[in-house]
Amino acid sequence: QVRLVESGGRLVQAGGSLRLSCAASGPTFSTYAMGWFRQAPGKEREFVASITWSADSTYYADSVKGRFTISRDNAKNTVYLQMNSLKPEDTAVYYCAQKSPYSGSYRNTNGFGSWGQGTQVTVSS
Protein backbone atom coordinates (compact mmCIF):
# COMPACT_ATOMS: atom_id res chain seq x y z
CA GLN A 1 0.00 0.00 0.00
CA VAL A 2 1.18 3.51 -0.81
CA ARG A 3 1.70 5.87 2.13
CA LEU A 4 1.21 9.59 1.54
CA VAL A 5 2.80 12.28 3.72
CA GLU A 6 1.93 15.97 3.37
CA SER A 7 4.26 18.77 4.43
CA GLY A 8 4.67 22.53 4.13
CA GLY A 9 1.64 23.74 6.05
CA ARG A 10 2.15 26.70 8.38
CA LEU A 11 0.82 30.05 9.52
CA VAL A 12 0.85 32.67 6.75
CA GLN A 13 -0.61 36.16 6.37
CA ALA A 14 -3.43 36.88 3.95
CA GLY A 15 -2.09 37.61 0.49
CA GLY A 16 0.94 35.43 1.04
CA SER A 17 2.03 32.22 -0.66
CA LEU A 18 2.69 28.68 0.44
CA ARG A 19 3.81 25.47 -1.25
CA LEU A 20 2.60 22.10 -0.03
CA SER A 21 4.26 18.81 -0.86
CA CYS A 22 2.94 15.26 -0.81
CA ALA A 23 5.53 12.49 -0.80
CA ALA A 24 4.63 8.89 -1.56
CA SER A 25 6.51 6.02 0.05
CA GLY A 26 6.37 2.29 -0.41
CA PRO A 27 5.42 0.75 -3.74
CA THR A 28 4.70 3.61 -6.13
CA PHE A 29 3.95 3.15 -9.79
CA SER A 30 3.30 6.80 -10.67
CA THR A 31 0.35 5.81 -12.80
CA TYR A 32 -2.47 7.18 -10.64
CA ALA A 33 -4.10 10.56 -10.66
CA MET A 34 -3.53 12.59 -7.48
CA GLY A 35 -5.56 15.22 -5.71
CA TRP A 36 -5.59 17.79 -2.93
CA PHE A 37 -8.54 18.24 -0.57
CA ARG A 38 -9.09 20.39 2.50
CA GLN A 39 -11.25 20.32 5.59
CA ALA A 40 -12.04 23.21 7.91
CA PRO A 41 -13.37 22.62 11.46
CA GLY A 42 -17.00 21.59 11.42
CA LYS A 43 -17.12 21.26 7.65
CA GLU A 44 -16.99 18.43 5.15
CA ARG A 45 -13.82 17.62 3.30
CA GLU A 46 -13.86 19.44 -0.03
CA PHE A 47 -12.09 19.14 -3.35
CA VAL A 48 -9.26 21.58 -4.12
CA ALA A 49 -7.33 20.31 -7.15
CA SER A 50 -6.35 17.13 -8.97
CA ILE A 51 -3.95 16.03 -11.69
CA THR A 52 -3.70 13.01 -13.99
CA TRP A 53 -0.72 10.65 -13.79
CA SER A 54 0.82 12.09 -16.96
CA ALA A 55 0.02 15.68 -15.87
CA ASP A 56 -1.79 16.27 -19.14
CA SER A 57 -4.95 17.41 -17.33
CA THR A 58 -5.61 19.39 -14.16
CA TYR A 59 -8.81 20.23 -12.30
CA TYR A 60 -9.54 22.98 -9.79
CA ALA A 61 -12.32 24.04 -7.48
CA ASP A 62 -13.81 27.40 -8.43
CA SER A 63 -12.75 28.85 -5.08
CA VAL A 64 -9.04 28.36 -5.83
CA LYS A 65 -8.92 28.68 -9.62
CA GLY A 66 -6.34 31.24 -10.67
CA ARG A 67 -4.66 31.20 -7.26
CA PHE A 68 -3.57 27.58 -6.74
CA THR A 69 -1.51 25.36 -9.04
CA ILE A 70 -1.14 21.59 -8.77
CA SER A 71 1.87 19.80 -10.25
CA ARG A 72 3.70 16.50 -9.89
CA ASP A 73 7.15 14.98 -10.29
CA ASN A 74 6.67 11.27 -10.86
CA ALA A 75 10.42 10.58 -10.68
CA LYS A 76 10.35 11.92 -7.10
CA ASN A 77 6.96 10.43 -6.27
CA THR A 78 5.83 13.87 -5.17
CA VAL A 79 2.80 16.08 -5.80
CA TYR A 80 2.79 19.82 -5.09
CA LEU A 81 0.22 22.50 -4.44
CA GLN A 82 1.40 26.06 -4.97
CA MET A 83 -0.96 28.45 -3.18
CA ASN A 84 -0.86 32.17 -3.94
CA SER A 85 -2.99 35.11 -2.80
CA LEU A 86 -4.06 33.19 0.26
CA LYS A 87 -7.24 34.18 2.08
CA PRO A 88 -8.44 33.45 5.62
CA GLU A 89 -11.10 31.23 4.02
CA ASP A 90 -8.29 28.93 2.84
CA THR A 91 -7.55 27.95 6.45
CA ALA A 92 -7.95 24.18 6.75
CA VAL A 93 -6.17 20.88 7.04
CA TYR A 94 -4.96 19.98 3.56
CA TYR A 95 -4.86 16.33 2.47
CA CYS A 96 -3.34 14.69 -0.56
CA ALA A 97 -4.90 11.56 -1.99
CA GLN A 98 -4.40 8.94 -4.67
CA LYS A 99 -7.26 8.40 -7.07
CA SER A 100 -9.07 5.08 -7.06
CA PRO A 101 -8.50 3.36 -10.41
CA TYR A 102 -12.12 2.22 -10.57
CA SER A 103 -13.61 5.69 -10.13
CA GLY A 104 -14.05 8.32 -12.81
CA SER A 105 -14.43 11.31 -10.48
CA TYR A 106 -11.60 13.86 -10.29
CA ARG A 107 -13.55 16.36 -8.17
CA ASN A 108 -15.03 14.30 -5.35
CA THR A 109 -13.65 12.48 -2.31
CA ASN A 110 -15.41 9.34 -3.49
CA GLY A 111 -13.00 9.15 -6.42
CA PHE A 112 -9.92 8.79 -4.20
CA GLY A 113 -8.98 5.74 -2.15
CA SER A 114 -5.67 6.44 -0.36
CA TRP A 115 -5.18 9.46 1.91
CA GLY A 116 -2.39 11.18 3.82
CA GLN A 117 -2.65 12.46 7.39
CA GLY A 118 -2.94 16.12 6.39
CA THR A 119 -1.02 19.33 7.02
CA GLN A 120 -2.43 22.43 8.72
CA VAL A 121 -2.61 25.69 6.78
CA THR A 122 -3.63 28.79 8.73
CA VAL A 123 -4.12 32.14 6.99
CA SER A 124 -4.30 35.15 9.28
CA SER A 125 -6.26 38.28 8.39
Side-chain angles (χ1 to χ4, degrees):
Q1 298 290 336
V2 173
R3 176 163 293 182
L4 306 175
V5 180
E6 304 93 337
S7 63
R10 64 177 178 85
L11 174 66
V12 63
Q13 288 186 301
S17 298
L18 198 61
R19 188 196 195 197
L20 305 183
S21 298
C22 174
S25 61
T28 302
F29 300 99
S30 299
T31 57
Y32 298 101
M34 300 291 294
W36 285 96
F37 296 78
R38 66 187 183 186
Q39 187 168 23
K43 295 187 177 181
E44 294 293 317
R45 190 169 299 184
E46 65 176 1
F47 167 76
V48 175
S50 60
I51 186 170
T52 58
W53 75 269
S54 60
D56 59 337
S57 296
T58 56
Y59 308 86
Y60 295 94
D62 289 340
S63 59
V64 306
K65 195 172 298 181
R67 299 188 298 122
F68 292 9
T69 302
I70 187 172
S71 62
R72 68 189 299 165
D73 187 336
N74 290 343
K76 296 181 178 179
N77 301 129
T78 303
V79 181
Y80 306 95
L81 184 68
Q82 178 65 48
M83 305 185 293
N84 299 325
S85 302
L86 284 163
K87 306 174 181 180
E89 303 89 89
D90 295 318
T91 296
V93 176
Y94 283 70
Y95 300 87
C96 68
Q98 186 177 79
K99 190 177 184 304
S100 300
Y102 50 82
S103 175
S105 176
Y106 286 89
R107 295 175 171 271
N108 194 283
T109 56
N110 292 335
F112 295 77
S114 298
W115 298 82
Q117 294 298 304
T119 184
Q120 177 70 50
V121 173
T122 303
V123 184
S124 62
S125 59

